[in-house]
Amino acid sequence: MGKYVLKRFGSMLITLFLIATVTFFLMHLIPGDPFALPRDTPEIVRENLEEKYGLDKPLFEQYTIYMKNLLHGDFGSSMKYKGQTVVGKVTTGMPPSALVGFGGVIIGSIIGLVLGCIAALNNKGKVDYLVIILAILGVSIPSFVFGSLIQKIFGVDLKLFPIQGWKGVSYVVLPMMTAAFTNIAFYARMLRTSMLDVMKQDYTYTAKSKGLTKTEIVKRHMLRNSLLPLVTSFGPMCAGVLTGNFVVEKIFNIPGIGQAMISAIQSSDYTMIMGLTVIFSFISAIMYFVVDILYGVVDPRIRIAG
Amino acid sequence: MTEEIKQTSDDIRTLPLEFFEKDEQAYEDADKITRPSVTYWSDAWRRFKANKIAMISSIILILIAVLAIVVPLISRYTYDQTDLMAVNQAPSSAHLFGTDDLGRDIFVRCWEGARVSLFIALVVSILNGTIGILYGGIAGYFGGLADNIMMRFCELIASIPQMLWVILLILILKPGVGPVIIAIAATGWIGMARLFRGQVFQIKEMEFVMASRTMGAGSIWIILKHLFPNALSPIITNMAFAIPSAIFAESFLSYIGLGLPLPTASWGVLASDGANKLLSYPYQLLFPALLICITMLCFNLLGDGLRDALDPRMRQ
C-alpha cells in the first residue's frame, strides 16, 4: 500500500508541474496587448508596466520566476484590480463554492443512490421507468436552463426562496438544488446499471442459496460491490464541482470562485485567469490522487495491479 | 415391440443396394440457403427498428435538421435583421416565437442557431472519432512503451477539467465557430481513444486475428480489416453521445460569455440571452431551451437505442 501511495503521489507531482508549465505557455500564446492601453499612451508607461509585471524579461526567466512564486504559494495577482491576489480570491470564494458544490454532490448522490437502488430492485417497474426518465432528463437539460427555471418558479412566482445573492441559509437552497439535479440523474443511472450487473453475479446466487434474507443480500453483497465503480467517478465529479459552479454561481450571483473566474474572463484579467486555472487544476489533480488512494483502499485488486 | 423394430432395421440392412435411389434434389437442398443471410448490420437494423423510442427520436432529429435547413431559406426575416418597431414582442402570427430586444425574429434565429449548433456538434463528433481511433488504435495495437507514454499523455490532459481547457483555448483562439470546435474536440477525443484502445487490446488477441497474421497479413490490414469493424459498434455509440455533450459545451461557453461573436445565432447564444431576460420575457428562454432539451433528449435516446441495437449484451 505504501509503495502504491508513493507512486501515485509522484505522478501527481509530475502532473502538477506539467499543468503549471502548460498553463504558463498557453497564456503567453494569447495574442494582443495584455494591458489593452489606449493608442496614445506614452511609451514609458508601457515600459513601466511591463517592468512591473516582469514582461520585459526573456520568456524563460519569466517562467522560472513564475515557478518559484508558485512554490512559495504565490499564484499571482490581478492585472485589473489593484491589491486582489489569486490566493485571496480563492480563500474568500472557496466557502460558498464548496458549500454549494459539495452540498450538491452529497445531496444529489444520496438521493440518486437511493433511487438507483430502488430502480434496480424493481427492474422494469414504475420506479425503474421514473429513474430512467429522470436520468435522461438530467443529462438533457443544461444546468443554466434548469437553474433559471427553478429560480423563476420558486423565487419569482412562489416567492419561497430569495432569487439571488448570498446573505443567509435560505440563499443556499436553490443553488444547491440546481447543483444536486445533475448529480441525482448521474448517480441514479450509475448505481442502477451496476446493481443490475451485480445481480447476475455468482456470489449473489450463492448468498441467495445460503438462505440470506433479501435485505442482507442487498446490504452485504449487492450494494458493496456495485458501489465500487462509483468511487472512481468521485474524482471527475469533484473536479466537475468547480466548473459546474461557474453556471450555478452566475445564475444565483454567489460570490464564489466560479464567479471570480467568469468576471476575470469577462474583464480579460489574464493573470487572474492563469492563477485561477492553475489552482482549479491543482485542486482537481489532488482530488484525483485522493480518490485513487481511496479506490486502492476499497478494492485491493487495484493496488496490486497498479 | 422392440423386437419388431430390430427386425425391420435388420431387413433394411440386408436389402440389396438396387432397392435404393439417390434423391438428388434433397441432396442439393441440404446445402441451399433458403432464407436471406442475416448479417450483423441487418440484425442490428432490425433491433433498432423494433425500438420505438429510438425510432421516434431519429424522426424528430431528422425533422429538426430539415427545419434548420429550410426555415432560414424561406422565412421573411433573416437571423440578424433588426426591427426596432417590434422589440420584445410576445409570440404571434407575425413572429411565431416572438422577437428579442433588437426586434430580431426568434423563430428564424432558433433555426439558424440549429444550423450552427448542430454543425459544431457534428464536426466535433467526427473529429473526436477520427483522432480517438487513430490515437487509441496506435496505442492499443503496438502496446508496450508506446502505449504507456501515449496513455500517460491522455491522463495528463484529463487531469485538468475539460471546461478549463476549453476556456483557455478559446481565450487563445478568440471566440468563433472554428475555435469552439477546436476547443471542444481538443479534449473530447480522449474518451474515444481510451475506448478504442481497450477494444483493440481485447480483439487483437483473438483467434481470427492470429489466423490472419499467420497467413501473412500486415499491421495496417489487420487494423483496418479486423480490429476496426469489430470495434465499430461502441465507436458509433460513443460518437452519438458526443453530439449532445458538444451542444452542452457550446451553450455553457455562451453562458459564461465565451460563446460565438455577435450576431451569430447558436442555441447557446440564444439560451443565454434568454436566461438573462427570463424574469421579464420568459418566452425568449423557453423556445431555445426547449429546442436544446428536445435535441439532447433525442440524441441521448438515439445513443441508447444504437447501443442496444449494436451490442445486445449491453441491453438492460
Side-chain angles (χ1 to χ4, degrees), chain A residues 19 30-31 100 124 153 157 161 172 175 201 203 215 226 229 236 238 249 281 286 293 295 302:
Chain A
I19 289 170
I30 293 179
V100 170
K124 303 239 148 61
I153 295 171
D157 297 343
F161 300 104
V172 187
Q201 299 292 328
Y203 51 76
T215 37
S226 51
C238 292
E249 285 175 20
S281 316
I286 294 168
I293 301 298
Y295 203 44
I302 301 292

Side-chain angles (χ1 to χ4, degrees), chain B residues 227-247:
Chain B
L227 301 184
F228 185 65
N230 279 293
L232 204 55
S233 63
I235 291 172
I236 291 176
T237 314
N238 189 299
M239 281 174 77
F241 283 121
I243 293 175
S245 58
I247 295 177

Side-chain angles (χ1 to χ4, degrees), chain A residues 15 18 26-27 30-31 136 139-140 142 144 148 156 189 193 243 246-247 250-251 265-266 273 280-281 284, chain B residues 156 159-161 163-164 167-168 171-172 248 252 255-256 258 271 278-279 292-293 296-297 300-301 304 316:
Chain A
T15 312
L18 286 171
L26 275 182
M27 288 312 280
I30 293 179
I136 291 176
V139 289
S140 303
F144 67 88
S148 309
V156 181
R189 190 182 191 144
T193 322
T243 39
F246 285 21
V247 170
K250 191 175 176 227
I251 300 173
I265 290 170
Q266 279 164 353
I273 298 173
F280 280 153
S281 316
S284 90
Chain B
L156 183 72
S159 65
I160 302 184
M163 280 308 153
L164 283 179
I167 289 170
L168 275 182
L171 282 174
I172 294 165
F248 211 92
F252 169 81
Y255 191 71
I256 65 166
L258 281 175
L278 175 72
L279 302 185
I292 294 179
C293 294
M296 302 252 283
L297 189 66
N300 280 318
L301 292 171
D304 279 344
Q316 265 162 359

Side-chain angles (χ1 to χ4, degrees), chain B residues 157-272:
Chain B
I157 295 181
S159 65
I160 302 184
Q162 192 192 3
M163 280 308 153
L164 283 179
W165 277 118
V166 176
I167 289 170
L168 275 182
L169 286 171
I170 295 277
L171 282 174
I172 294 165
L173 300 167
K174 298 293 163 211
V177 174
V180 167
I181 291 175
I182 294 173
I184 301 175
T187 49
W189 59 270
I190 290 180
M192 181 65 96
R194 283 182 174 161
L195 178 97
F196 190 58
R197 170 183 169 271
Q199 290 284 320
V200 168
F201 256 109
Q202 239 175 48
I203 301 167
K204 77 172 180 184
E205 301 299 335
M206 289 189 175
E207 281 89 348
F208 61 89
V209 177
M210 230 190 283
S212 178
R213 191 170 296 145
T214 321
M215 286 188 277
S219 301
I220 293 172
W221 176 265
I222 290 176
I223 291 179
L224 289 181
K225 202 69 192 164
H226 295 296
L227 301 184
F228 185 65
N230 279 293
L232 204 55
S233 63
I235 291 172
I236 291 176
T237 314
N238 189 299
M239 281 174 77
F241 283 121
I243 293 175
S245 58
I247 295 177
F248 211 92
E250 189 270 324
S251 61
F252 169 81
L253 281 177
S254 301
Y255 191 71
I256 65 166
L258 281 175
L260 302 172
L262 293 170
T264 323
S266 74
W267 283 344
V269 171
L270 292 170
S272 69

Side-chain angles (χ1 to χ4, degrees), chain B residues 21-217:
Chain B
E21 187 186 338
K22 190 174 179 187
D23 185 353
E24 289 289 343
Q25 197 52 44
Y27 194 70
E28 266 178 21
D29 279 353
D31 276 347
K32 208 195 249 163
I33 296 162
T34 47
R35 300 284 175 106
S37 73
V38 181
T39 61
Y40 169 70
W41 292 107
S42 60
D43 203 31
W45 171 236
R46 187 181 52 75
R47 278 195 295 268
F48 186 76
K49 265 196 301 192
N51 186 341
K52 279 201 199 80
I53 294 174
M55 280 307 275
I56 294 171
S57 305
S58 25
I59 291 169
I60 294 176
L61 286 175
I62 292 170
L63 197 72
I64 288 176
V66 169
L67 280 171
I69 295 168
V70 173
V71 170
L73 286 179
I74 59 164
S75 172
R76 276 185 291 159
Y77 312 100
T78 59
Y79 73 95
D80 55 356
Q81 171 191 345
T82 56
D83 179 2
L84 295 178
M85 302 305 285
V87 176
N88 288 327
Q89 286 196 347
S92 64
S93 57
H95 299 280
L96 278 178
F97 289 179
T99 59
D100 66 5
D101 55 350
L102 291 173
R104 293 176 294 197
D105 182 68
I106 294 181
F107 186 67
V108 175
R109 280 180 76 72
C110 272
W111 296 109
E112 176 67 27
R115 284 184 176 189
V116 178
S117 289
L118 291 177
F119 174 74
I120 291 176
L122 283 177
V123 176
V124 165
S125 165
I126 292 168
L127 274 179
N128 278 354
T130 325
I131 303 172
I133 287 167
L134 284 177
Y135 195 91
I138 293 171
Y141 187 77
F142 294 104
L145 185 67
D147 172 56
N148 213 334
I149 294 172
M150 286 171 94
M151 284 300 123
R152 273 291 138 82
F153 180 68
C154 278
E155 250 171 55
L156 183 72
I157 295 181
S159 65
I160 302 184
Q162 192 192 3
M163 280 308 153
L164 283 179
W165 277 118
V166 176
I167 289 170
L168 275 182
L169 286 171
I170 295 277
L171 282 174
I172 294 165
L173 300 167
K174 298 293 163 211
V177 174
V180 167
I181 291 175
I182 294 173
I184 301 175
T187 49
W189 59 270
I190 290 180
M192 181 65 96
R194 283 182 174 161
L195 178 97
F196 190 58
R197 170 183 169 271
Q199 290 284 320
V200 168
F201 256 109
Q202 239 175 48
I203 301 167
K204 77 172 180 184
E205 301 299 335
M206 289 189 175
E207 281 89 348
F208 61 89
V209 177
M210 230 190 283
S212 178
R213 191 170 296 145
T214 321
M215 286 188 277

